[in-house]
mmCIF file of all heavy atoms in Angstrom:
data_model
loop_
_atom_site.group_PDB
_atom_site.id
_atom_site.type_symbol
_atom_site.label_atom_id
_atom_site.label_comp_id
_atom_site.label_asym_id
_atom_site.label_seq_id
_atom_site.Cartn_x
_atom_site.Cartn_y
_atom_site.Cartn_z
ATOM 1 N N THR A 173 1.925 -17.251 -6.686
ATOM 2 C CA THR A 173 1.814 -18.584 -6.000
ATOM 3 C C THR A 173 2.229 -18.313 -4.458
ATOM 4 O O THR A 173 1.543 -18.886 -3.589
ATOM 5 C CB THR A 173 2.951 -19.503 -6.593
ATOM 6 O OG1 THR A 173 2.469 -19.856 -7.880
ATOM 7 C CG2 THR A 173 3.123 -20.707 -5.642
ATOM 8 N N ILE A 174 3.153 -17.506 -4.176
ATOM 9 C CA ILE A 174 3.549 -17.280 -2.773
ATOM 10 C C ILE A 174 2.341 -16.582 -2.029
ATOM 11 O O ILE A 174 2.042 -16.948 -0.941
ATOM 12 C CB ILE A 174 4.752 -16.403 -2.722
ATOM 13 C CG1 ILE A 174 6.043 -17.280 -3.218
ATOM 14 C CG2 ILE A 174 5.080 -15.892 -1.301
ATOM 15 C CD1 ILE A 174 7.265 -16.371 -3.395
ATOM 16 N N ALA A 175 1.795 -15.679 -2.671
ATOM 17 C CA ALA A 175 0.703 -14.921 -2.063
ATOM 18 C C ALA A 175 -0.465 -15.875 -1.814
ATOM 19 O O ALA A 175 -1.121 -15.768 -0.723
ATOM 20 C CB ALA A 175 0.240 -13.742 -2.982
ATOM 21 N N LEU A 177 -0.441 -19.200 -1.490
ATOM 22 C CA LEU A 177 -0.024 -20.201 -0.429
ATOM 23 C C LEU A 177 -0.068 -19.584 0.936
ATOM 24 O O LEU A 177 -0.285 -20.265 1.950
ATOM 25 C CB LEU A 177 1.287 -20.797 -0.849
ATOM 26 C CG LEU A 177 1.152 -22.185 -1.647
ATOM 27 C CD1 LEU A 177 0.353 -21.994 -2.896
ATOM 28 C CD2 LEU A 177 2.550 -22.680 -1.955
ATOM 29 N N LYS A 178 0.405 -18.397 1.064
ATOM 30 C CA LYS A 178 0.347 -17.692 2.368
ATOM 31 C C LYS A 178 -1.003 -17.467 2.967
ATOM 32 O O LYS A 178 -1.303 -17.595 4.113
ATOM 33 C CB LYS A 178 1.181 -16.432 2.311
ATOM 34 C CG LYS A 178 2.663 -16.623 2.228
ATOM 35 C CD LYS A 178 3.371 -15.279 2.255
ATOM 36 C CE LYS A 178 4.876 -15.482 2.344
ATOM 37 N NZ LYS A 178 5.737 -14.279 2.412
ATOM 38 N N ILE A 201 10.906 -19.122 -4.157
ATOM 39 C CA ILE A 201 10.048 -20.033 -3.284
ATOM 40 C C ILE A 201 10.880 -20.538 -2.043
ATOM 41 O O ILE A 201 10.294 -20.479 -0.990
ATOM 42 C CB ILE A 201 9.580 -21.225 -4.124
ATOM 43 C CG1 ILE A 201 8.673 -20.824 -5.286
ATOM 44 C CG2 ILE A 201 8.923 -22.225 -3.217
ATOM 45 C CD1 ILE A 201 7.377 -20.175 -4.716
ATOM 46 N N GLU A 202 12.132 -20.763 -2.278
ATOM 47 C CA GLU A 202 12.989 -21.239 -1.164
ATOM 48 C C GLU A 202 13.101 -19.982 -0.060
ATOM 49 O O GLU A 202 13.016 -20.266 1.058
ATOM 50 C CB GLU A 202 14.410 -21.569 -1.627
ATOM 51 C CG GLU A 202 15.269 -22.090 -0.525
ATOM 52 C CD GLU A 202 16.619 -22.525 -1.005
ATOM 53 O OE1 GLU A 202 16.953 -22.390 -2.270
ATOM 54 O OE2 GLU A 202 17.461 -22.961 -0.143
ATOM 55 N N LYS A 203 13.282 -18.855 -0.635
ATOM 56 C CA LYS A 203 13.413 -17.687 0.245
ATOM 57 C C LYS A 203 12.095 -17.491 1.071
ATOM 58 O O LYS A 203 12.170 -16.978 2.233
ATOM 59 C CB LYS A 203 13.676 -16.418 -0.545
ATOM 60 C CG LYS A 203 13.999 -15.248 0.305
ATOM 61 C CD LYS A 203 14.501 -14.060 -0.662
ATOM 62 C CE LYS A 203 14.930 -12.915 0.257
ATOM 63 N NZ LYS A 203 15.460 -11.757 -0.630
ATOM 64 N N ALA A 204 10.972 -17.885 0.452
ATOM 65 C CA ALA A 204 9.647 -17.713 1.160
ATOM 66 C C ALA A 204 9.407 -18.901 2.053
ATOM 67 O O ALA A 204 8.335 -18.820 2.809
ATOM 68 C CB ALA A 204 8.505 -17.568 0.146
ATOM 69 N N GLY A 205 10.250 -19.850 2.104
ATOM 70 C CA GLY A 205 10.028 -21.018 2.956
ATOM 71 C C GLY A 205 8.864 -21.939 2.529
ATOM 72 O O GLY A 205 8.226 -22.527 3.364
ATOM 73 N N LEU A 206 8.699 -22.062 1.248
ATOM 74 C CA LEU A 206 7.540 -22.800 0.873
ATOM 75 C C LEU A 206 7.880 -23.959 -0.087
ATOM 76 O O LEU A 206 7.072 -24.457 -0.858
ATOM 77 C CB LEU A 206 6.556 -21.894 -0.017
ATOM 78 C CG LEU A 206 5.850 -20.758 0.757
ATOM 79 C CD1 LEU A 206 5.202 -19.753 -0.129
ATOM 80 C CD2 LEU A 206 4.912 -21.339 1.801
ATOM 81 N N ASN A 207 9.190 -24.481 0.005
ATOM 82 C CA ASN A 207 9.636 -25.512 -0.774
ATOM 83 C C ASN A 207 8.725 -26.781 -0.748
ATOM 84 O O ASN A 207 8.599 -27.420 -1.735
ATOM 85 C CB ASN A 207 11.062 -25.954 -0.379
ATOM 86 C CG ASN A 207 12.080 -24.950 -0.804
ATOM 87 O OD1 ASN A 207 11.795 -23.781 -1.134
ATOM 88 N ND2 ASN A 207 13.398 -25.296 -0.829
ATOM 89 N N ASP A 208 8.285 -27.067 0.476
ATOM 90 C CA ASP A 208 7.516 -28.267 0.603
ATOM 91 C C ASP A 208 6.080 -28.267 0.001
ATOM 92 O O ASP A 208 5.395 -29.235 -0.066
ATOM 93 C CB ASP A 208 7.412 -28.683 2.068
ATOM 94 C CG ASP A 208 6.728 -27.639 2.971
ATOM 95 O OD1 ASP A 208 6.791 -26.453 2.511
ATOM 96 O OD2 ASP A 208 6.259 -27.944 3.989
ATOM 97 N N ARG A 209 5.683 -27.102 -0.543
ATOM 98 C CA ARG A 209 4.356 -26.950 -1.026
ATOM 99 C C ARG A 209 4.280 -26.563 -2.483
ATOM 100 O O ARG A 209 3.271 -26.369 -3.081
ATOM 101 C CB ARG A 209 3.540 -26.013 -0.222
ATOM 102 C CG ARG A 209 3.385 -26.283 1.245
ATOM 103 C CD ARG A 209 2.739 -25.167 2.066
ATOM 104 N NE ARG A 209 1.506 -24.744 1.627
ATOM 105 C CZ ARG A 209 0.965 -23.548 2.018
ATOM 106 N NH1 ARG A 209 1.610 -22.778 2.794
ATOM 107 N NH2 ARG A 209 -0.158 -23.231 1.588
ATOM 108 N N VAL A 210 5.537 -26.553 -3.160
ATOM 109 C CA VAL A 210 5.548 -26.135 -4.528
ATOM 110 C C VAL A 210 6.379 -27.111 -5.316
ATOM 111 O O VAL A 210 7.481 -27.426 -4.942
ATOM 112 C CB VAL A 210 6.167 -24.667 -4.610
ATOM 113 C CG1 VAL A 210 6.151 -24.219 -6.062
ATOM 114 C CG2 VAL A 210 5.399 -23.662 -3.806
#
Side-chain angles (χ1 to χ4, degrees):
T173 287
I174 292 169
L177 265 55
K178 286 185 175 180
I201 294 297
E202 181 177 3
K203 190 172 182 179
L206 295 169
N207 285 18
D208 58 336
R209 297 170 60 193
V210 181

